[in-house]
Amino acid sequence: AVCFFVVFVCAALFFFSVGITFQLTMFITLFQIMSTSPLQIESHPIMFLFCAPPAAASMAWANIVGSFDIGSKMLLFISAFMFLLLCRFFWEFVRVPYTLTFWAYCFPTTALALASLRYSQEAMTNTLTQVLALVISVISILIVFYVFVSTLIATYKGNLFPFDPLAAIPEH
């Protein structure tokens, strides 16, 4: 039983390390994209996917070590920082017509909400963390609800899958 536990922890640390390596690459890529070229409006939702890995890693690290320690907190704060950076696209989210890529907003905000809830459970005496977790959770719920209703409306109108010239298969 102890041997299995050691193998499990070592495997978890290995995959966690690989994930952190890829996250560093993604973090650099995000800042290069945001600072050097204007983004197409269609790619704004996809940029929010950069927030999900550190939030999920925060919860994974807490499960590996058994508590929400400083490593978990740092990963949560990295995710929150990236979320705040990308909040500058909020008006495009409201202004742009619905596309299926809007679902890319849901997972990162939910992962951030779950990680912040886990953090607030560890810091039970701190009201600020509980309020922040509640606010992030409400934002996540509102985003999921908005995207869900928008999907239903687009389905009802028959334009859930509009013609996309970038994805279209040319006829030969």
Side-chain angles (χ1 to χ4, degrees):
V2 173
C3 182
F4 176 74
F5 180 74
V6 170
V7 169
F8 175 74
V9 170
C10 288
L13 286 173
F14 171 76
F15 290 116
F16 184 84
S17 301
V18 170
I20 290 296
T21 303
F22 282 108
Q23 177 60 27
L24 289 173
T25 306
M26 287 175 46
F27 196 66
I28 292 167
T29 304
L30 174 67
F31 279 106
Q32 285 178 338
I33 290 171
M34 287 180 67
S35 64
T36 59
S37 62
L39 294 173
Q40 292 180 353
I41 288 182
E42 294 83 18
S43 66
H44 289 181
I46 295 165
M47 297 302 288
F48 265 79
L49 291 174
F50 284 102
C51 299
S58 171
M59 293 181 288
W61 184 254
N63 286 335
I64 290 171
V65 298
S67 68
F68 208 89
D69 66 351
I70 194 154
S72 297
K73 292 174 189 173
M74 287 175 25
L75 290 164
L76 171 64
F77 297 150
I78 289 170
S79 181
F81 172 70
M82 293 175 79
F83 180 79
L84 290 174
L85 277 179
L86 292 168
C87 278
R88 71 182 186 139
F89 299 130
F90 174 75
W91 294 115
E92 282 85 1
F93 176 64
V94 176
R95 204 169 6 136
V96 172
Y98 171 79
T99 63
L100 280 175
T101 59
F102 274 34
W103 281 99
Y105 288 116
C106 297
F107 174 64
T109 54
T110 304
L112 181 60
L114 289 172
S116 64
L117 285 170
R118 176 95 187 255
Y119 175 54
S120 71
Q121 285 178 342
E122 296 278 331
M124 291 173 95
T125 58
N126 193 337
T127 307
L128 178 64
T129 60
Q130 294 172 346
V131 169
L132 286 174
L134 179 65
V135 167
I136 294 169
S137 297
V138 167
I139 290 170
S140 175
I141 290 168
L142 290 175
I143 288 173
V144 171
F145 181 74
Y146 175 78
V147 172
F148 177 71
V149 169
S150 297
T151 303
L152 290 178
I153 292 170
T155 303
Y156 178 74
K157 289 181 177 179
N159 61 357
L160 182 62
F161 301 106
F163 177 74
D164 185 0
L166 297 174
I169 299 172
E171 293 182 28
H172 292 284

